Amino acid sequence: MSHARAIHLSRRGLLAAGGAAGLGVALAACGDDKGKAKDSGNGSTAAKSGPWSFKDDRGKTVKLGKVPANIVAFTGVGAALFDYGVQVKGVFGPTTTTGGKPDVQAGDMDVSKVTVLGNAWGQFNVEKYAALAPDVLITTMFDGAGTLWYVPEQSTKQIAELAPSVGISVYDRQITQPLQRMWDLAESLGADMKAAKVTDAKKRFEAAAARLRAAAKAKPHLKVMAGSASDQLFYVSGTHLSIDLEYFKALGVNFVEPPESAKKQGGGWYESLSWENVDKYQADIIMMDDRSSAIQPADITKPTWKKLPAVKAGQVIARSPEPILSYDKCVPLLTSLAEALEKAKKVS
């Protein structure tokens, strides 16, 4: 997890076990228990008309009389569903940049065709949300307590009263698991999972994973560091907890791993370094947080950054700490790292 996400989480009182559990109960209570659909093995059932249900990663089952039509989702979730042919009505979270262009987390989704309820942390227009007559709210979860990502603490009760919610966990697991969960969810919402575009993307993902595994095996001596930049600090992520890094490590990629004691301030996700100490770890390839909340490599002016061997060698690539959970969008994540390993030289 990058600095931005952990800072956001630290601001939320709901991370206390009691508060988070209370939120889960409140949200689950919004489910319509009158639905008669039976859960399948993947946690969902649906027909284009008739009852709908989906069991989320909190273990909560949402039941409705029909497949949701008015879907509101975190931007990245909306982007993933869009790739599967499911259009959401509203989104919350980073959607457009200050220049008005689609944020990286919006993927291929046409942001002009959705109602944006909030574009930054803490922003969520409850009145606009109510006006959409939402059937369901869908977002991710970055902790084990079931805290709904980008749902403001101060508005959780109001939001929960308007529609049931579905949470997909992206905490302490490999990316293949939430990818499958999003696949199941899209299928339950009526997406055609046998469409060539969908099946081809999954095959490309599997091929890209095989390529990354081979690249990592061929160059086990290369060290990769996952970083994120702010004006005052540089953040080094460990592989534990992050769905992308856990998966890349399982494929054999050799990562820089800050000790657990150094990651305490980052909630176990990352270590904070001053720019004077940015050379603490030796790395041959640096993966940098591509979200709009982080300073991008081209805009980093710190002299110590420019002196890093990987930077001088041009061995810096982008990383998406909040991957869009469709196979199509995850293929480039694997491919870019595989390509970097294939081309990189030992410079550390």
Side-chain angles (χ1 to χ4, degrees):
M1 174 181 283
S2 82
H3 69 286
R5 180 184 304 146
I7 289 170
H8 292 162
L9 286 173
S10 67
R11 292 174 181 167
R12 308 186 73 170
L14 288 172
L15 283 181
L23 174 63
V25 171
L27 293 170
C30 294
D32 179 3
D33 291 329
K34 296 178 181 179
K36 303 298 183 182
K38 297 178 182 178
D39 277 342
S40 66
N42 65 14
S44 63
T45 58
K48 291 191 176 180
S49 62
W52 177 86
S53 73
F54 189 86
K55 185 176 182 180
D56 77 358
D57 291 338
R58 298 169 297 182
K60 305 294 183 181
T61 300
V62 176
K63 297 180 180 181
L64 299 173
K66 62 179 182 178
V67 177
N70 294 342
I71 302 168
V72 174
F74 174 68
T75 302
V77 171
L81 291 175
F82 179 85
D83 284 352
Y84 291 130
V86 177
Q87 178 67 54
V88 303
K89 294 292 180 69
V91 295
F92 54 95
T95 308
T96 58
T97 64
T98 52
K101 295 181 179 180
D103 188 272
V104 64
Q105 294 191 62
D108 293 332
M109 183 171 55
D110 187 343
V111 297
S112 69
K113 292 184 178 179
V114 294
T115 298
V116 181
L117 304 177
N119 197 51
W121 184 258
Q123 295 178 0
F124 192 112
N125 191 312
V126 180
E127 290 74 21
K128 279 188 178 181
Y129 180 57
L132 290 173
D135 293 321
V136 67
L137 177 149
I138 309 172
T139 187
T140 49
M141 301 181 297
F142 281 94
D143 62 30
T147 307
L148 299 174
W149 188 233
Y150 262 80
V151 174
E153 179 183 355
Q154 67 273 18
S155 306
T156 51
K157 185 176 180 180
Q158 289 175 283
I159 293 168
E161 289 172 346
L162 292 168
S165 62
V166 167
I168 301 297
S169 180
V170 288
Y171 174 74
D172 193 17
R173 60 201 62 204
Q174 295 179 26
I175 197 171
T176 46
Q177 187 173 343
L179 271 172
Q180 183 61 51
R181 295 292 285 137
M182 193 62 70
W183 175 289
D184 295 340
L185 178 59
E187 185 174 35
S188 80
L189 294 169
D192 180 4
M193 308 313 283
K194 294 182 180 179
K197 178 182 177 182
V198 173
T199 57
D200 287 351
K202 191 170 186 179
K203 289 176 182 176
R204 286 189 289 110
F205 177 88
E206 292 165 352
R211 178 181 176 183
L212 179 54
R213 186 189 297 276
K217 186 176 181 179
K219 294 187 177 179
H221 57 291
L222 294 183
K223 274 279 188 181
V224 179
M225 180 167 67
S228 185
S230 71
D231 184 56
Q232 298 298 320
L233 296 169
F234 182 81
Y235 306 86
V236 180
S237 294
T239 58
H240 182 51
L241 304 181
S242 296
I243 57 173
D244 60 330
L245 301 184
E246 283 200 16
Y247 184 54
F248 299 157
K249 183 178 181 179
L251 292 175
V253 179
N254 184 12
F255 279 98
V256 167
E257 295 281 8
E260 291 303 313
S261 59
K263 296 189 293 182
K264 284 185 178 179
Q265 286 188 326
W269 294 83
Y270 63 84
E271 177 181 1
S272 305
L273 298 175
S274 66
W275 283 101
E276 288 74 18
N277 295 316
V278 74
D279 61 352
K280 178 178 179 179
Y281 298 108
Q282 298 297 305
D284 303 293
I285 298 170
I286 303 176
M287 304 175 68
M288 290 296 290
D289 187 343
D290 69 354
R291 293 174 298 173
S292 54
S293 58
I295 299 176
Q296 297 306 300
D299 300 318
I300 299 175
T301 58
K302 308 291 185 182
T304 48
W305 164 259
K306 295 182 178 181
K307 291 179 181 178
L308 292 177
V311 176
K312 291 170 69 174
Q315 295 175 176
V316 178
I317 63 173
R319 175 198 170 210
S320 299
E322 291 185 59
I324 294 172
L325 296 172
S326 72
Y327 286 102
D328 179 69
K329 293 301 179 291
C330 288
V331 169
L333 311 183
L334 297 166
T335 302
S336 66
L337 182 53
E339 187 175 84
L341 284 168
E342 291 163 355
K343 294 181 177 179
K345 296 179 180 179
K346 184 71 177 175
V347 294
S348 65

